[in-house]
Amino acid sequence: MAAPMLRGLPAALGGFGRGFWAAGSGLRPPAPLRMAQAAYNARRLGLDLSGFYLPHAGSPEWQRGPRALRKLYGRWGSASGVEAASLWPEPGQLQELVRHQAEWEPSLQQMWSSLRAKELEQQKKQRERQKLMAANMAKMPKMVEDWRREKRELKTKQREEKARRELLLSEARERFGYSVDPRSSKFQEMVKELEKEQKKKHKLMKRRQKEEAAGSEATVNAGAS
């Protein structure tokens, strides 16, 4: 960093050339330039990078732990001074590793079996869905016919109710001689009375029909005897 700064400093001070600070000019560089030149002479650290670092008793735990020792032995082998037997997990740790592997690292056969089971389940659901759709399509004509029948019955009931209401209104006009509000209490009372009369007429009609049927059956039996 200092060398580019020194090369660019004369130009920044006034466009002087590189030979301006030559020995024959009789001039010395300014004080900031001399300080930069003196501070740039850094000493070597004197590190021995030919070998590798071995942790000692005072090293932090992350340098002395089992994982660090495994990495050290894996990189340098027996030259690291680490015994290979000490890197083997204890029985409890080995069981934990086996359990962890069985839970989170399934084998290829297990993954294939799981995928196959999911595929079969999806195929089963698809077949059931197609079967349900086919059954619903088979019921569709009957459902449409039932809907049309219910619609016809509803229209018939609406026409009957409309005719019944018009009949009640006409009877109310005949009785009271003027138009009656269907929501009034008088109209409601009249409706109840008319319904009672209609029920009585219906019962009488059914009784007559029953008596006529019994009489005709007795006549037929008498003629047969």
Side-chain angles (χ1 to χ4, degrees):
M1 294 296 293
M5 181 179 68
L6 295 176
R7 288 196 299 268
L9 185 59
L13 293 176
F16 299 101
R18 291 186 178 181
F20 182 79
W21 306 114
S25 61
L27 298 177
R28 297 182 62 188
L33 188 58
R34 292 198 302 271
M35 291 177 62
Q37 288 177 342
Y40 182 68
N41 296 325
R43 296 181 180 180
R44 298 185 61 183
L45 297 178
L47 297 177
D48 185 10
L49 302 179
S50 60
F52 53 88
Y53 175 77
L54 290 176
H56 50 82
S59 301
E61 179 61 25
W62 62 272
Q63 291 183 350
R64 295 182 292 107
R67 184 175 182 182
L69 294 179
R70 292 190 187 97
K71 292 175 65 176
L72 187 64
Y73 184 83
R75 183 173 183 180
W76 300 104
S78 59
S80 62
V82 180
E83 297 182 1
S86 64
L87 303 179
W88 190 257
E90 298 179 359
Q93 296 176 349
L94 184 60
Q95 293 179 1
E96 182 66 20
L97 288 174
V98 172
R99 186 193 64 79
H100 183 274
Q101 184 176 6
E103 183 177 0
W104 299 102
E105 299 177 5
S107 62
L108 181 61
Q109 181 67 25
Q110 292 175 348
M111 290 190 292
W112 184 87
S113 301
S114 178
L115 291 175
R116 182 60 179 169
K118 290 181 180 179
E119 184 179 358
L120 293 176
E121 184 67 20
Q122 291 179 356
Q123 292 178 0
K124 181 181 178 181
K125 290 182 179 180
Q126 186 176 3
R127 288 194 299 269
E128 292 177 354
R129 186 166 56 251
Q130 292 177 353
K131 185 178 179 181
L132 179 61
M133 292 175 61
N136 290 335
M137 291 300 296
K139 295 178 182 178
M140 187 64 67
K142 185 177 182 301
M143 293 172 64
V144 173
E145 182 62 27
D146 293 342
W147 175 76
R148 290 177 178 175
R149 178 176 52 78
E150 291 176 359
K151 192 173 181 180
R152 290 194 299 268
E153 291 177 355
L154 179 61
K155 289 183 177 180
T156 302
K157 289 182 180 179
Q158 290 176 351
R159 287 196 298 267
E160 291 177 354
E161 182 66 23
K162 185 178 180 181
R164 176 174 170 273
R165 182 176 294 274
E166 291 178 354
L167 178 61
L168 292 174
L169 288 173
S170 62
E171 291 182 1
R173 292 191 190 97
E174 291 178 0
R175 289 191 180 187
F176 297 103
Y178 57 90
S179 178
V180 182
D181 187 2
R183 296 170 294 181
S184 63
S185 58
K186 292 183 179 181
F187 183 80
Q188 299 298 329
E189 292 175 0
M190 186 194 68
V191 169
K192 292 180 180 179
E193 293 178 0
L194 291 176
E195 287 179 349
K196 290 180 181 179
E197 293 178 0
Q198 289 178 358
K199 288 181 180 179
K200 289 180 180 180
K201 291 179 181 179
H202 185 65
K203 288 182 179 179
L204 291 174
M205 186 181 298
K206 287 183 69 176
R207 185 182 298 174
R208 289 177 182 176
Q209 291 177 354
K210 189 175 182 180
E211 290 175 355
E212 291 177 358
S216 61
E217 185 177 355
T219 303
V220 171
N221 293 333
S225 62

